[in-house]
Amino acid sequence: MNFPKRKQKILNKLDEYGEVDVKQLADELQISEITARRDLNQLAADGLLYRTHGGAAKVNPFEKPHDFANKTAQNAAVKDEICRVAARQINDGDVIFMDCGSTVFRLCQFIKNKKIKVITNSLPVIYELQNCAVSLNVIGGEFDKERQAVHGRMAIEHIAKYRASKAFLGVDGVSENGLFAHSEKEASITTAFATNSAYTYLLCDASKIGKEPYLRFGDLSLVNAIITDADKGKLMGIEERGVVILNAKK
Amino acid sequence: MNFPKRKQKILNKLDEYGEVDVKQLADELQISEITARRDLNQLAADGLLYRTHGGAAKVNPFEKPHDFANKTAQNAAVKDEICRVAARQINDGDVIFMDCGSTVFRLCQFIKNKKIKVITNSLPVIYELQNCAVSLNVIGGEFDKERQAVHGRMAIEHIAKYRASKAFLGVDGVSENGLFAHSEKEASITTAFATNSAYTYLLCDASKIGKEPYLRFGDLSLVNAIITDADKGKLMGIEERGVVILNAKK
DNA sequence: TTGTTATTGATTATTTTTGAACAAATTAAA
DNA sequence: TTTAATTTGTTCAAAAATAATCAATAACAA
């Protein structure tokens, strides 16, 4: 039995029972335990399941059915690790910016009982945090349906009126040459967040490191720290520029 | 049983009873007490619960946002009639203000296919309209959890920058003596909406007519028309002041 | 054929998880 | 207040799971 077929079986099983364990999987599929583990790791890397000790679980069986939750399911495990590290940087009393990226969204779950103020342009973030301890400030302006967030001139003006102690941002790419985005819209918002916060964290998984898509919108000096699961080797050029690297490897 | 599964069980239990204690948890989940403690500590670190001596408590005593849906369900039939009439006043190309009242919220369902721009401070309205034809403008500022809407000075400033062709507003009371609200917050937002739109509609069911609760915040001249299911008799004093009455009786 | 590559399994070392024992801290009681 | 009972954090050890390395096999192309 080849991998694609096993993959299908594993996912079916997972869908039915909500979880699987390595031993039982190895037995049923007539493969060794290590192969079963390798399969699970590969599926976990694709964000199709959650790897646990001894097995795996469905991505999020108790998550809300919002469509933005689905988007963030890709690489959820890695993103969660990154966000755990990020959450540890946040103290009561902080005023933080959060942008509308899928990685930053996953930060919500870890800050729900912190006594902080969150300023954001992301509808999913607002929706997720509306009933918890954090105080919310909504950035006003034109609503972008695709990104489920507010963008445009008004949004930039709004941000400029506030000062945050920390900003948590995502980008489409980052290298020693600077920060990169797919669109002008996101670039200008990100820049506004960064310039109006005392300390800026970039949250990005390994896939974004070294990528330079489309638009270079800012220098590395715009951010103070990068929280990532990428290897040291890939980050050398960036660290040399004075950016703090926070490792978020599992 | 692995951690993710225990995590879910703990959270479920917490959700049901509001609190758990270590001993009982260890017993029910067939784990040692120290493991139970470790689980609770980890969940607490993620902000999913509050750690107490001997156990843990739910993180947010607040209620879920369902109460908004419940509120809108009250008198739904009457409110829908009012909103049907309101929707007929809206033409393609209009720029309209919508406030955060439960009546105005029900207007959403009737305008989803109109080619208009909606400017609102109501999170439920944004959520409801995010995936349809209307273009959305989000009013920025401090988020008020109770009302699920944005209020405050920033919101007022935001509104002042726009001009709408029509505003659709709710109030807590209206009589020939003017407009009434339960709180200063809502009053100032309503005033801002009304003064920045060419034509202002008040959406209110019969229960609001003649009521004068707490704060009188504006003259009747602030509105151009009232859409209501109330009898002509109750409205005489108001109509005399030049306010157009649109009947919305079933 | 031959060499290359991908897949799988076995072995070993490492990491993670768990529980027990005990000292420190906290709460409750006298 | 002091004392007793709980609860907790810490350290250590055992067990389980995992990652890493290497060898065997299968699939594939030249």
Side-chain angles (χ1 to χ4, degrees):
Chain A
M1 178 143 41
N2 50 6
F3 177 58
K5 200 166 181 180
R6 291 202 306 269
K7 172 179 166 179
Q8 199 48 245
K9 284 219 172 196
I10 292 172
L11 290 179
N12 285 345
K13 226 173 145 46
L14 208 53
D15 209 42
E16 188 174 356
Y17 299 104
E19 58 173 8
V20 294
D21 81 292
V22 171
K23 278 191 177 153
Q24 157 202 351
L25 211 60
D27 188 48
E28 290 191 32
L29 299 182
Q30 303 279 12
I31 53 176
S32 72
E33 290 185 22
I34 183 139
T35 302
R37 272 200 294 273
R38 276 195 272 245
D39 285 357
L40 293 181
N41 286 351
Q42 201 162 339
L43 290 169
D46 293 343
L48 268 39
L49 50 77
Y50 231 131
R51 195 70 169 76
T52 65
H53 234 74
K58 255 204 275 198
V59 183
N60 38 14
F62 43 87
E63 200 80 339
K64 280 163 211 158
H66 300 323
D67 41 6
F68 23 80
N70 297 340
K71 221 176 192 174
T72 63
Q74 282 191 336
N75 268 329
V78 166
K79 286 176 177 174
D80 279 357
E81 264 323 296
I82 291 172
C83 288
R84 268 204 191 88
V85 174
R88 279 203 284 271
Q89 317 298 318
I90 302 174
N91 309 309
D92 283 359
D94 270 340
V95 175
I96 71 172
F97 285 137
M98 288 175 68
D99 80 0
C100 57
S102 59
T103 306
V104 173
F105 170 71
R106 299 197 70 85
L107 182 56
C108 291
Q109 58 187 312
F110 302 117
I111 61 174
K112 285 192 171 176
N113 76 334
K114 290 183 191 273
K115 291 181 184 60
I116 57 174
K117 192 180 275 283
V118 169
I119 305 175
T120 185
N121 67 324
S122 161
L123 182 58
V125 169
I126 294 162
Y127 203 76
E128 195 70 15
L129 295 179
Q130 64 172 320
N131 283 307
C132 57
V134 315
S135 150
L136 268 179
N137 186 294
V138 178
I139 294 170
E142 297 278 335
F143 185 77
D144 182 320
K145 291 179 201 305
E146 203 181 336
R147 295 184 183 78
Q148 295 190 275
V150 175
H151 288 87
R153 200 179 55 81
M154 275 294 286
I156 306 291
E157 281 181 28
H158 185 114
I159 294 169
K161 286 186 182 151
Y162 291 90
R163 292 291 178 279
S165 51
K166 286 152 193 165
F168 294 87
L169 310 175
V171 287
D172 292 318
V174 56
S175 76
E176 63 265 32
N177 298 318
L179 308 173
F180 293 80
H182 280 125
S183 85
E184 171 87 39
K185 262 189 179 179
E186 282 172 17
S188 58
I189 285 272
T190 304
T191 304
F193 277 134
T195 54
N196 287 290
S197 76
Y199 202 91
T200 300
Y201 295 90
L202 213 57
L203 273 48
C204 52
D205 57 83
S207 70
K208 307 281 175 59
I209 306 288
K211 284 270 171 62
E212 300 188 345
Y214 187 47
L215 173 68
R216 178 186 184 281
F217 69 91
D219 195 78
L220 266 186
S221 60
L222 214 52
V223 308
N224 302 101
I226 296 180
I227 305 178
T228 182
D229 63 316
D231 297 320
K232 279 275 168 190
K234 281 177 110 179
L235 295 158
M236 283 218 312
I238 294 171
E239 200 164 14
E240 272 172 11
R241 298 289 185 107
V243 177
V244 175
I245 306 293
L246 297 178
N247 191 273
K249 256 204 178 145
K250 189 114 194 180
Chain B
M1 177 143 43
N2 48 11
F3 177 59
K5 195 165 184 183
R6 290 202 305 269
K7 171 180 166 178
Q8 193 178 349
K9 286 218 171 193
I10 292 171
L11 291 179
N12 284 345
K13 227 172 145 46
L14 210 53
D15 209 43
E16 189 175 354
Y17 299 106
E19 56 176 11
V20 294
D21 80 292
V22 171
K23 277 191 177 157
Q24 158 202 352
L25 212 59
D27 188 49
E28 289 191 32
L29 299 183
Q30 304 277 12
I31 53 176
S32 72
E33 291 185 21
I34 182 140
T35 302
R37 271 201 296 274
R38 277 196 271 244
D39 284 358
L40 293 181
N41 286 351
Q42 199 163 342
L43 290 168
D46 290 347
L48 267 39
L49 49 77
Y50 263 127
R51 194 71 169 75
T52 64
H53 233 72
K58 246 207 281 202
V59 60
N60 50 354
F62 307 97
E63 264 317 293
K64 301 252 168 71
H66 299 317
D67 50 1
F68 189 88
N70 293 344
K71 207 172 183 184
T72 63
Q74 285 187 335
N75 268 330
V78 167
K79 286 175 177 174
D80 280 355
E81 262 326 295
I82 291 173
C83 288
R84 266 199 195 91
V85 175
R88 279 201 287 272
Q89 316 300 315
I90 302 172
N91 310 309
D92 284 358
D94 269 340
V95 176
I96 70 171
F97 286 136
M98 288 175 69
D99 80 1
C100 57
S102 58
T103 306
V104 173
F105 171 72
R106 299 196 69 85
L107 180 56
C108 291
Q109 58 189 313
F110 302 114
I111 61 174
K112 286 192 171 177
N113 292 317
K114 293 183 189 276
K115 289 182 184 59
I116 57 174
K117 190 181 280 280
V118 169
I119 305 175
T120 186
N121 67 325
S122 161
L123 183 58
V125 169
I126 294 162
Y127 198 75
E128 196 69 18
L129 296 179
Q130 65 170 321
N131 284 311
C132 58
V134 317
S135 149
L136 269 179
N137 186 293
V138 178
I139 293 169
E142 298 276 335
F143 184 76
D144 182 320
K145 291 177 201 305
E146 204 180 336
R147 296 185 182 76
Q148 294 191 271
V150 175
H151 288 86
R153 200 179 55 81
M154 275 294 288
I156 307 289
E157 281 181 27
H158 185 115
I159 294 168
K161 287 187 180 148
Y162 291 90
R163 291 294 177 279
S165 50
K166 286 152 194 167
F168 295 87
L169 310 176
V171 286
D172 292 319
V174 56
S175 76
E176 63 266 32
N177 298 318
L179 309 173
F180 293 79
H182 283 303
S183 85
E184 169 88 38
K185 262 187 175 178
E186 281 172 17
S188 58
I189 285 273
T190 304
T191 305
F193 277 134
T195 55
N196 288 290
S197 77
Y199 201 90
T200 300
Y201 295 89
L202 214 56
L203 274 47
C204 52
D205 56 84
S207 70
K208 307 280 175 60
I209 305 290
K211 284 270 172 62
E212 300 186 344
Y214 186 48
L215 174 69
R216 178 187 183 280
F217 68 91
D219 195 77
L220 265 184
S221 61
L222 215 52
V223 307
N224 302 100
I226 295 179
I227 307 178
T228 182
D229 63 318
D231 297 323
K232 278 276 173 190
K234 281 178 111 180
L235 294 158
M236 281 215 316
I238 294 171
E239 198 163 15
E240 272 174 10
R241 298 286 185 108
V243 177
V244 175
I245 305 294
L246 297 177
N247 191 271
K249 258 205 178 143
K250 188 110 195 184

